[in-house]
Amino acid sequence: MKECVLLLLLAALCSAKPFRSPSHLALKNMMLKDMEDSDDDDDDNDDNSVFPTKETVNPFFPFDLFPMCPFGCQCYSRVVHCSDLGLTSVPSNIPFDTRLIDLQNNKIKEIKENDFKGLTSLYALILNNNKLTKIHPKTFLTTKKLRRLYLSHNQLNEIPLNLPKSLAELRIHDNKVKKIQKDTFKGMNALHVLEMSANPLDNNGIEPGAFEGVTVFHIRIAEAKLTSIPKDLPSTLLELHLDYNKISTVELEDFKRYKELQRLGLGNNRISDIENGSFANIPRVREIHLEKNKLKKVPSGLQELKYLQVIFLNSNSITKVGVNDFCPTAPKMKKSLYSAISLSNNPVNTREIQPATFRCVLNRMSVQLGNFRK
């Protein structure tokens, strides 16, 4: 019964706009895994799971008759749901054992020092779509188990100071952040996902050493003011998304630091030139997005990427496709089959493309051609 109610709450939470986060089932699984890991490190035998298993529930009264819950909010199974209430501040009387607080779609302008004081079990905090301009530097001093912090669609000028070292996911999409200062993420060894799109951030705004010692797997800085690929991001990156920027060229040194990269997003930029050998530095890449740029030819080196399965080159200025642009020429070289090659909306004469050009494609439905209009 408890899990059913919580799943309904999480379903409503993840379907509310403009919050774009993992599905409620994925969030539940992440919570369970994180809490299981934290339970293994605890010395006591208290039940710290998000979905308590040791509580004694009265079968005739499964709900608490008089639960402590902020006025107007809904509380159950350690979830406090206070979205869409027109709140101008964080409500008081939040239960101390709360694991998830949903405050999105309100009118909160400031997070004060003691707003979350004592919430030592807090796992996820959702503040999307408010009017935040200030978060007190001591706000998160006691939330030492906070794993997921969502601050998107606010008016913050900087990344909050003194974030919990336990944080695994930070989403600060669509704010006014212009700079990532050195030591902003210092000691945050668990930070794996960083979403910073739709901020007025340029290359000079990323200070050297800003990500020193941090293990981040996924970074998205789309819809910003980048004119080149940042060279000082974490070397642990598996996914890098820089779509909708002002990048015009890709240089040989751009990917030298990101050898583990598997997904690369450079769509909707101004790229007209990719230096030969640039992709050789990311030999594990599986998916590349270069759609809606200004390329005049298929980038070199794709045929040597043995794991590459998806490549989007649609809506460029490509006029010719060579027989060896995608597939290896060495007969003994093993290459993953392409599941998607998009060349649509390019001024290329499809009749001049030789059938052997797509010899390493999964099937003919994996190739998209045509639809070009002058």
Side-chain angles (χ1 to χ4, degrees), residues 140-164:
F140 302 109
L141 287 183
T142 61
T143 58
K144 297 183 178 180
K145 291 186 178 180
L146 188 65
R147 297 281 289 174
R148 310 191 185 276
L149 178 59
Y150 302 107
L151 298 168
S152 297
H153 306 283
N154 279 287
Q155 300 173 26
L156 295 169
N157 291 317
E158 62 180 4
I159 298 174
L161 299 176
N162 302 320
L163 292 171

Side-chain angles (χ1 to χ4, degrees), residues 244-308:
Y244 291 94
N245 275 282
K246 300 177 181 180
I247 301 171
S248 58
T249 60
V250 176
E251 300 176 352
L252 186 62
E253 302 292 323
D254 283 346
F255 300 122
K256 202 167 185 178
R257 182 175 170 85
Y258 316 127
K259 296 185 181 299
E260 301 299 319
L261 202 63
Q262 295 183 15
R263 295 185 67 188
L264 174 63
L266 290 170
N268 289 274
N269 275 278
R270 303 172 182 178
I271 300 173
S272 59
D273 182 56
I274 297 178
E275 192 173 352
N276 292 346
S278 296
F279 292 134
N281 290 316
I282 47 174
R284 298 181 181 274
V285 69
R286 299 172 183 269
E287 183 173 335
I288 298 177
H289 287 258
L290 285 164
E291 68 274 12
K292 296 185 179 180
N293 277 283
K294 297 182 178 182
L295 295 171
K296 295 182 179 180
K297 63 179 182 179
V298 176
S300 63
L302 297 181
Q303 69 275 20
E304 298 174 3
L305 299 173
K306 62 185 297 185
Y307 299 106
L308 185 62

Side-chain angles (χ1 to χ4, degrees), residues 5 63 133 137 198 223 248 257 295:
V5 176
F63 296 88
T133 59
E223 303 174 73
S248 58
R257 182 175 170 85
L295 295 171

Side-chain angles (χ1 to χ4, degrees), residues 41-76:
D41 297 332
D42 290 340
D43 294 329
D44 53 29
N45 294 320
D46 294 339
D47 181 17
N48 288 323
S49 64
V50 176
F51 308 97
T53 57
K54 297 182 181 179
E55 285 187 319
T56 302
V57 179
N58 189 324
F60 300 103
F61 299 98
F63 296 88
D64 293 334
L65 292 178
F66 304 102
M68 182 176 69
C69 188
F71 179 77
C73 302
Q74 300 178 16
C75 304
Y76 194 67

Side-chain angles (χ1 to χ4, degrees), residues 215-228:
T215 303
V216 183
F217 298 136
H218 175 112
I219 287 183
R220 185 184 295 272
I221 311 178
E223 303 174 73
K225 295 184 177 181
L226 299 176
T227 55
S228 62

